[in-house]
Amino acid sequence: MSASSIELRLFQSTPHPCGYWPLRTARDLVIDPDDPRLEKLYPHGLGWGFRRSGNLLYRPQCPDCQACVPVRIDCERFVPNRSQRRCLKRNADLRWQIIYAQRSDEQLALYQRYLAARHPGGGMDKHTAADYDRFLLGDWSQTRFMEIRGPDHAGNDALLAVAVTDVTVAGLSAVYTYYDPRSQARALGTYAILQQLQWARSRQLPHLYLGYWIAGHAKMAYKRGFSALQAYDGQHWTPLPDDRQAPQSA
């Protein structure tokens, strides 16, 4: 399937609360969710700045804001910095495995603890098993769970993090990572990305897609810490230099 010859039906969502800036509204551009080619379109969609949420491929399309910048890591060129090497050393006692994406009670309990700590009162902290499946799983995507296990805050062997990851020919897509909020000192979000990079390299996949980066947003700042980061400007992927500032909303 050649990207230049693909014909798509695109829809624009109705305005909804922005997930990044509470006082703003957002709109998304969505590829026809009934398109039978979604699995084959997905690698192209990643290259066009789209993301997966459940069965939807979407991209922010806000008329008065262009703050969301799609970013990805060039796996071959990535080199961990000193902080990331310390993260790997600190977590040398952890182990991880890749499993098929199928929710377990253990995963759901960890997910709900994470949301209660990270998103209190925002609606996500009330997610049920059905919400979990709707948000993280897809009927057509090649989704895997990276389970990270090791000693928890009390020294017991436990599930500490899950990195929900889509596998495509264009690379891995880091859909969502949740972890034990009581193990915050381990920097498990950073650790998960480092292991996803190792996983991508082992499969000779070119990129790890990290979703969107927003300049000035505290929860997005960690993405700038990874070398070989590239940004999509709507037409091309280009290296994101240290002094780059993403476009801000009007």
Side-chain angles (χ1 to χ4, degrees):
M1 184 183 292
S2 169
S4 61
S5 64
I6 296 174
E7 294 186 5
L8 297 176
R9 292 185 67 198
L10 299 172
F11 299 92
Q12 191 170 53
S13 72
T14 57
H16 57 85
C18 176
Y20 304 112
W21 302 112
L23 299 181
R24 304 180 189 178
T25 58
R27 300 190 76 170
D28 298 316
L29 194 65
V30 181
I31 296 177
D32 183 358
D34 294 323
D35 193 315
R37 305 169 298 167
L38 282 176
E39 182 176 356
K40 292 182 179 180
L41 288 171
Y42 192 15
H44 299 293
L46 288 172
W48 300 326
F50 283 78
R51 295 283 285 166
R52 182 184 69 80
S53 178
N55 286 322
L56 298 180
L57 283 179
Y58 75 96
R59 186 176 73 190
Q61 183 93 347
C62 306
D64 300 318
C65 179
Q66 293 79 45
C68 291
V69 178
V71 291
R72 70 186 185 187
I73 300 172
D74 182 330
C75 296
E76 185 176 354
R77 292 183 55 247
F78 170 76
V79 177
N81 61 25
R82 184 168 64 175
S83 174
Q84 290 158 357
R85 292 195 298 271
R86 286 200 302 264
C87 178
L88 289 171
K89 185 176 181 180
R90 185 187 316 129
N91 292 302
D93 58 337
L94 301 185
R95 63 192 188 279
W96 56 274
Q97 64 174 344
I98 307 301
I99 63 173
Y100 286 100
Q102 186 172 2
R103 170 179 43 82
S104 69
D105 291 343
E106 183 183 33
Q107 292 165 0
L108 179 62
L110 177 62
Y111 176 73
Q112 290 174 331
R113 287 201 307 273
Y114 173 81
L115 293 182
R118 292 293 295 254
H119 302 285
M124 284 188 74
D125 56 337
K126 304 299 183 184
H127 270 202
T128 64
D131 294 319
Y132 181 100
D133 293 349
R134 252 190 312 272
F135 174 39
L136 299 177
L137 305 183
D139 294 334
W140 48 262
S141 60
Q142 296 297 317
T143 305
R144 301 291 184 267
F145 289 161
M146 173 184 281
E147 286 194 337
I148 299 170
R149 296 180 179 272
D152 64 10
H153 66 289
N156 300 312
D157 189 70
L159 177 66
L160 296 182
V162 176
V164 181
T165 311
D166 288 344
V167 182
T168 81
V169 295
L172 298 181
S173 179
V175 175
Y176 197 75
T177 297
Y178 58 92
Y179 53 83
D180 185 350
R182 298 167 298 187
S183 300
Q184 190 168 351
R186 285 186 175 272
L188 289 169
T190 294
Y191 178 77
I193 292 176
L194 293 171
Q195 299 306 333
Q196 286 171 312
L197 283 163
Q198 179 180 329
W199 175 15
R201 280 176 161 174
S202 72
R203 297 193 55 160
Q204 298 183 312
L205 295 172
H207 300 109
L208 174 63
Y209 290 83
L210 296 183
Y212 302 110
W213 170 73
I214 301 174
H217 197 292
K219 290 185 177 180
M220 296 290 185
Y222 73 93
K223 298 181 183 182
R224 289 301 304 272
F226 290 88
S227 66
L229 195 66
Q230 300 175 344
Y232 185 65
D233 63 7
Q235 291 186 312
H236 306 288
W237 288 92
T238 56
L240 189 62
D242 292 342
D243 59 353
R244 168 164 175 159
Q245 292 295 316
Q248 295 295 308
S249 59

